[in-house]
Amino acid sequence: MRKTLIAVLALAGFLAATPSAAQTTEQDLPRRNPDMAWPAGLNPSTADLFNHNQLTMEQSCETIYSWLSAPQDWPSWLIFARDVRFDDPAAPVGVGSRFAWNIFDIPIVAEVFVAEPGRRFGYTVTPPGPTPAYAQSWLLTPAGSGCTVTTEEVGVGDLARETRARGDLLVYLAHELWLASLRFVSRTGPRPES
């Protein structure tokens, strides 16, 4: 685990030093994927904040989806995710599933709005304040024997505007780290059933 943490921190440092990593809403909006799913009221064209990240991985979209669609396991492979708790822990994760978690020690409430195995996964993200304020959507597209994983996030309201004013780089880097971690854990194969 310690070696993984060191590798992740090295990756974050590399990305921060890479000029192309300084993504902003204005730069990312033209890259938005028209196949991405969004909940009502949270649309990239009217958002205060928008980020787009993408990585092609060697694993199948089904393998990647098995890890991505199991938020209860995120803390085991995603360094900034903690304390995932579901409203109904016995129910399978699907549209309408609600869970609370901490990201960078910020308490979040999330609700799944799209869950298409091997293809799409998305949830609203509500930090303290008006609900919902953000949505993160994932699109998995077959690429040869692998999968291109695209994640986009929209944000509305004061917090999103403040984040955009300070620069979107930290959100961009967090998503790059998330993609790298997802690629790493997916190399072990499909997520074992609990």
Side-chain angles (χ1 to χ4, degrees):
M1 183 64 166
R2 182 178 163 87
K3 287 181 183 179
T4 302
L5 176 59
I6 291 168
V8 164
L9 292 174
L11 172 65
F14 169 78
L15 289 171
T18 304
S20 64
Q23 302 300 312
T24 66
T25 296
E26 291 78 16
Q27 291 169 324
D28 279 349
L29 270 172
R31 296 188 253 262
R32 66 184 277 206
N33 191 310
D35 294 329
M36 198 67 70
W38 296 108
L42 291 170
N43 184 304
S45 62
T46 59
D48 295 311
L49 177 74
F50 176 78
N51 286 97
H52 167 97
N53 298 72
Q54 184 172 296
L55 181 64
T56 298
M57 303 181 191
E58 300 81 9
Q59 300 74 29
S60 72
C61 292
E62 290 74 18
T63 294
I64 293 164
Y65 186 88
S66 72
W67 290 98
L68 181 62
S69 64
Q72 66 274 20
D73 289 345
W74 291 349
S76 71
W77 57 267
L78 185 59
I79 195 166
F80 52 75
R82 300 267 187 278
D83 305 321
V84 178
R85 299 165 312 282
F86 277 85
D87 281 359
D88 183 357
V93 177
V95 174
S97 295
R98 289 178 48 85
F99 58 99
W101 58 304
N102 288 328
I103 182 168
F104 296 114
D105 294 324
I106 299 169
I108 301 291
V109 175
E111 183 172 341
V112 176
F113 64 84
V114 63
E116 298 173 15
R119 176 84 172 129
R120 289 188 183 130
F121 189 67
Y123 40 87
T124 57
V125 180
T126 306
T131 61
Y134 292 81
Q136 185 163 9
S137 193
W138 298 80
L139 179 66
L140 311 177
T141 308
S145 61
C147 184
T148 297
V149 181
T150 305
T151 186
E152 295 180 352
E153 182 173 351
V154 298
V156 297
D158 291 342
L159 182 58
R161 284 188 291 278
E162 289 169 20
T163 301
R164 185 174 176 178
R166 287 192 315 264
D168 304 50
L169 180 58
L170 292 180
V171 177
Y172 175 85
L173 290 174
H175 292 166
E176 287 292 294
L177 183 56
W178 199 322
L179 285 167
S181 299
L182 181 58
R183 181 182 192 189
F184 181 80
V185 74
S186 295
R187 288 181 172 170
T188 64
R191 178 185 163 271
E193 293 299 318
S194 299

PDB file of all heavy atoms in Angstrom, residues 18-34:
ATOM      1  N   THR A  18       2.903  19.325 -15.531  1.00  0.00           N
ATOM      2  CA  THR A  18       2.662  19.209 -16.958  1.00  0.00           C
ATOM      3  C   THR A  18       1.796  20.370 -17.422  1.00  0.00           C
ATOM      4  O   THR A  18       0.683  20.536 -16.939  1.00  0.00           O
ATOM      5  CB  THR A  18       1.943  17.869 -17.270  1.00  0.00           C
ATOM      6  OG1 THR A  18       2.730  16.813 -16.754  1.00  0.00           O
ATOM      7  CG2 THR A  18       1.736  17.684 -18.753  1.00  0.00           C
ATOM      8  N   PRO A  19       2.279  21.191 -18.366  1.00  0.00           N
ATOM      9  CA  PRO A  19       1.499  22.358 -18.808  1.00  0.00           C
ATOM     10  C   PRO A  19       0.110  21.994 -19.302  1.00  0.00           C
ATOM     11  O   PRO A  19      -0.839  22.708 -19.049  1.00  0.00           O
ATOM     12  CB  PRO A  19       2.353  22.950 -19.928  1.00  0.00           C
ATOM     13  CG  PRO A  19       3.733  22.461 -19.682  1.00  0.00           C
ATOM     14  CD  PRO A  19       3.570  21.119 -19.017  1.00  0.00           C
ATOM     15  N   SER A  20      -0.056  20.868 -19.970  1.00  0.00           N
ATOM     16  CA  SER A  20      -1.368  20.515 -20.507  1.00  0.00           C
ATOM     17  C   SER A  20      -2.363  20.152 -19.413  1.00  0.00           C
ATOM     18  O   SER A  20      -3.551  20.037 -19.670  1.00  0.00           O
ATOM     19  CB  SER A  20      -1.244  19.350 -21.489  1.00  0.00           C
ATOM     20  OG  SER A  20      -0.794  18.199 -20.809  1.00  0.00           O
ATOM     21  N   ALA A  21      -1.894  19.973 -18.186  1.00  0.00           N
ATOM     22  CA  ALA A  21      -2.797  19.611 -17.093  1.00  0.00           C
ATOM     23  C   ALA A  21      -3.584  20.802 -16.566  1.00  0.00           C
ATOM     24  O   ALA A  21      -4.492  20.641 -15.784  1.00  0.00           O
ATOM     25  CB  ALA A  21      -2.006  18.984 -15.947  1.00  0.00           C
ATOM     26  N   ALA A  22      -3.245  22.000 -16.981  1.00  0.00           N
ATOM     27  CA  ALA A  22      -3.932  23.191 -16.484  1.00  0.00           C
ATOM     28  C   ALA A  22      -5.253  23.397 -17.236  1.00  0.00           C
ATOM     29  O   ALA A  22      -5.456  24.396 -17.900  1.00  0.00           O
ATOM     30  CB  ALA A  22      -3.036  24.404 -16.616  1.00  0.00           C
ATOM     31  N   GLN A  23      -6.143  22.436 -17.110  1.00  0.00           N
ATOM     32  CA  GLN A  23      -7.429  22.488 -17.797  1.00  0.00           C
ATOM     33  C   GLN A  23      -8.365  23.464 -17.104  1.00  0.00           C
ATOM     34  O   GLN A  23      -8.328  23.628 -15.904  1.00  0.00           O
ATOM     35  CB  GLN A  23      -8.070  21.103 -17.835  1.00  0.00           C
ATOM     36  CG  GLN A  23      -7.215  20.054 -18.506  1.00  0.00           C
ATOM     37  CD  GLN A  23      -6.901  20.392 -19.946  1.00  0.00           C
ATOM     38  OE1 GLN A  23      -7.772  20.752 -20.718  1.00  0.00           O
ATOM     39  NE2 GLN A  23      -5.645  20.312 -20.297  1.00  0.00           N
ATOM     40  N   THR A  24      -9.211  24.077 -17.874  1.00  0.00           N
ATOM     41  CA  THR A  24     -10.216  24.972 -17.330  1.00  0.00           C
ATOM     42  C   THR A  24     -11.548  24.636 -17.961  1.00  0.00           C
ATOM     43  O   THR A  24     -11.623  23.911 -18.953  1.00  0.00           O
ATOM     44  CB  THR A  24      -9.885  26.443 -17.634  1.00  0.00           C
ATOM     45  OG1 THR A  24      -9.963  26.630 -19.047  1.00  0.00           O
ATOM     46  CG2 THR A  24      -8.511  26.834 -17.129  1.00  0.00           C
ATOM     47  N   THR A  25     -12.600  25.178 -17.401  1.00  0.00           N
ATOM     48  CA  THR A  25     -13.935  24.984 -17.959  1.00  0.00           C
ATOM     49  C   THR A  25     -13.962  25.383 -19.433  1.00  0.00           C
ATOM     50  O   THR A  25     -14.495  24.648 -20.268  1.00  0.00           O
ATOM     51  CB  THR A  25     -14.965  25.783 -17.142  1.00  0.00           C
ATOM     52  OG1 THR A  25     -14.996  25.250 -15.805  1.00  0.00           O
ATOM     53  CG2 THR A  25     -16.350  25.705 -17.754  1.00  0.00           C
ATOM     54  N   GLU A  26     -13.367  26.513 -19.753  1.00  0.00           N
ATOM     55  CA  GLU A  26     -13.383  26.988 -21.139  1.00  0.00           C
ATOM     56  C   GLU A  26     -12.671  26.030 -22.080  1.00  0.00           C
ATOM     57  O   GLU A  26     -13.086  25.831 -23.211  1.00  0.00           O
ATOM     58  CB  GLU A  26     -12.747  28.381 -21.245  1.00  0.00           C
ATOM     59  CG  GLU A  26     -13.564  29.483 -20.612  1.00  0.00           C
ATOM     60  CD  GLU A  26     -13.451  29.536 -19.082  1.00  0.00           C
ATOM     61  OE1 GLU A  26     -12.517  28.925 -18.496  1.00  0.00           O
ATOM     62  OE2 GLU A  26     -14.320  30.168 -18.466  1.00  0.00           O
ATOM     63  N   GLN A  27     -11.568  25.430 -21.628  1.00  0.00           N
ATOM     64  CA  GLN A  27     -10.826  24.485 -22.460  1.00  0.00           C
ATOM     65  C   GLN A  27     -11.548  23.145 -22.572  1.00  0.00           C
ATOM     66  O   GLN A  27     -11.466  22.479 -23.597  1.00  0.00           O
ATOM     67  CB  GLN A  27      -9.425  24.264 -21.896  1.00  0.00           C
ATOM     68  CG  GLN A  27      -8.541  25.489 -22.030  1.00  0.00           C
ATOM     69  CD  GLN A  27      -7.257  25.344 -21.248  1.00  0.00           C
ATOM     70  OE1 GLN A  27      -7.235  24.760 -20.169  1.00  0.00           O
ATOM     71  NE2 GLN A  27      -6.178  25.888 -21.783  1.00  0.00           N
ATOM     72  N   ASP A  28     -12.228  22.741 -21.501  1.00  0.00           N
ATOM     73  CA  ASP A  28     -12.861  21.422 -21.486  1.00  0.00           C
ATOM     74  C   ASP A  28     -14.218  21.385 -22.175  1.00  0.00           C
ATOM     75  O   ASP A  28     -14.603  20.347 -22.715  1.00  0.00           O
ATOM     76  CB  ASP A  28     -13.015  20.918 -20.047  1.00  0.00           C
ATOM     77  CG  ASP A  28     -11.727  20.327 -19.511  1.00  0.00           C
ATOM     78  OD1 ASP A  28     -10.787  20.109 -20.306  1.00  0.00           O
ATOM     79  OD2 ASP A  28     -11.655  20.068 -18.294  1.00  0.00           O
ATOM     80  N   LEU A  29     -14.969  22.481 -22.150  1.00  0.00           N
ATOM     81  CA  LEU A  29     -16.311  22.458 -22.758  1.00  0.00           C
ATOM     82  C   LEU A  29     -16.309  21.993 -24.210  1.00  0.00           C
ATOM     83  O   LEU A  29     -17.166  21.189 -24.587  1.00  0.00           O
ATOM     84  CB  LEU A  29     -16.995  23.818 -22.614  1.00  0.00           C
ATOM     85  CG  LEU A  29     -17.817  23.987 -21.345  1.00  0.00           C
ATOM     86  CD1 LEU A  29     -18.295  25.428 -21.204  1.00  0.00           C
ATOM     87  CD2 LEU A  29     -18.987  23.029 -21.277  1.00  0.00           C
ATOM     88  N   PRO A  30     -15.365  22.436 -25.047  1.00  0.00           N
ATOM     89  CA  PRO A  30     -15.371  21.946 -26.427  1.00  0.00           C
ATOM     90  C   PRO A  30     -15.085  20.445 -26.544  1.00  0.00           C
ATOM     91  O   PRO A  30     -15.399  19.825 -27.550  1.00  0.00           O
ATOM     92  CB  PRO A  30     -14.252  22.753 -27.110  1.00  0.00           C
ATOM     93  CG  PRO A  30     -14.071  23.957 -26.262  1.00  0.00           C
ATOM     94  CD  PRO A  30     -14.397  23.522 -24.859  1.00  0.00           C
ATOM     95  N   ARG A  31     -14.501  19.849 -25.493  1.00  0.00           N
ATOM     96  CA  ARG A  31     -14.187  18.417 -25.499  1.00  0.00           C
ATOM     97  C   ARG A  31     -15.333  17.555 -24.955  1.00  0.00           C
ATOM     98  O   ARG A  31     -15.220  16.334 -24.950  1.00  0.00           O
ATOM     99  CB  ARG A  31     -12.957  18.152 -24.645  1.00  0.00           C
ATOM    100  CG  ARG A  31     -11.694  18.773 -25.147  1.00  0.00           C
ATOM    101  CD  ARG A  31     -10.540  18.263 -24.298  1.00  0.00           C
ATOM    102  NE  ARG A  31     -10.010  19.251 -23.398  1.00  0.00           N
ATOM    103  CZ  ARG A  31      -8.941  19.978 -23.641  1.00  0.00           C
ATOM    104  NH1 ARG A  31      -8.295  19.842 -24.763  1.00  0.00           N
ATOM    105  NH2 ARG A  31      -8.505  20.845 -22.758  1.00  0.00           N
ATOM    106  N   ARG A  32     -16.376  18.177 -24.486  1.00  0.00           N
ATOM    107  CA  ARG A  32     -17.443  17.398 -23.842  1.00  0.00           C
ATOM    108  C   ARG A  32     -17.951  16.316 -24.773  1.00  0.00           C
ATOM    109  O   ARG A  32     -17.978  16.470 -25.988  1.00  0.00           O
ATOM    110  CB  ARG A  32     -18.568  18.290 -23.365  1.00  0.00           C
ATOM    111  CG  ARG A  32     -19.348  18.972 -24.480  1.00  0.00           C
ATOM    112  CD  ARG A  32     -20.377  19.911 -23.929  1.00  0.00           C
ATOM    113  NE  ARG A  32     -21.570  19.163 -23.573  1.00  0.00           N
ATOM    114  CZ  ARG A  32     -22.775  19.676 -23.538  1.00  0.00           C
ATOM    115  NH1 ARG A  32     -22.970  20.949 -23.795  1.00  0.00           N
ATOM    116  NH2 ARG A  32     -23.797  18.937 -23.211  1.00  0.00           N
ATOM    117  N   ASN A  33     -18.337  15.211 -24.182  1.00  0.00           N
ATOM    118  CA  ASN A  33     -18.794  14.064 -24.954  1.00  0.00           C
ATOM    119  C   ASN A  33     -20.312  14.102 -25.048  1.00  0.00           C
ATOM    120  O   ASN A  33     -20.996  14.071 -24.024  1.00  0.00           O
ATOM    121  CB  ASN A  33     -18.328  12.768 -24.289  1.00  0.00           C
ATOM    122  CG  ASN A  33     -18.540  11.574 -25.162  1.00  0.00           C
ATOM    123  OD1 ASN A  33     -19.624  11.367 -25.692  1.00  0.00           O
ATOM    124  ND2 ASN A  33     -17.507  10.774 -25.316  1.00  0.00           N
ATOM    125  N   PRO A  34     -20.870  14.133 -26.271  1.00  0.00           N
ATOM    126  CA  PRO A  34     -22.328  14.222 -26.419  1.00  0.00           C
ATOM    127  C   PRO A  34     -23.061  12.970 -25.958  1.00  0.00           C
ATOM    128  O   PRO A  34     -24.274  13.011 -25.747  1.00  0.00           O
ATOM    129  CB  PRO A  34     -22.519  14.462 -27.917  1.00  0.00           C
ATOM    130  CG  PRO A  34     -21.293  13.915 -28.556  1.00  0.00           C
ATOM    131  CD  PRO A  34     -20.182  14.130 -27.563  1.00  0.00           C
TER     132      PRO A  34
END
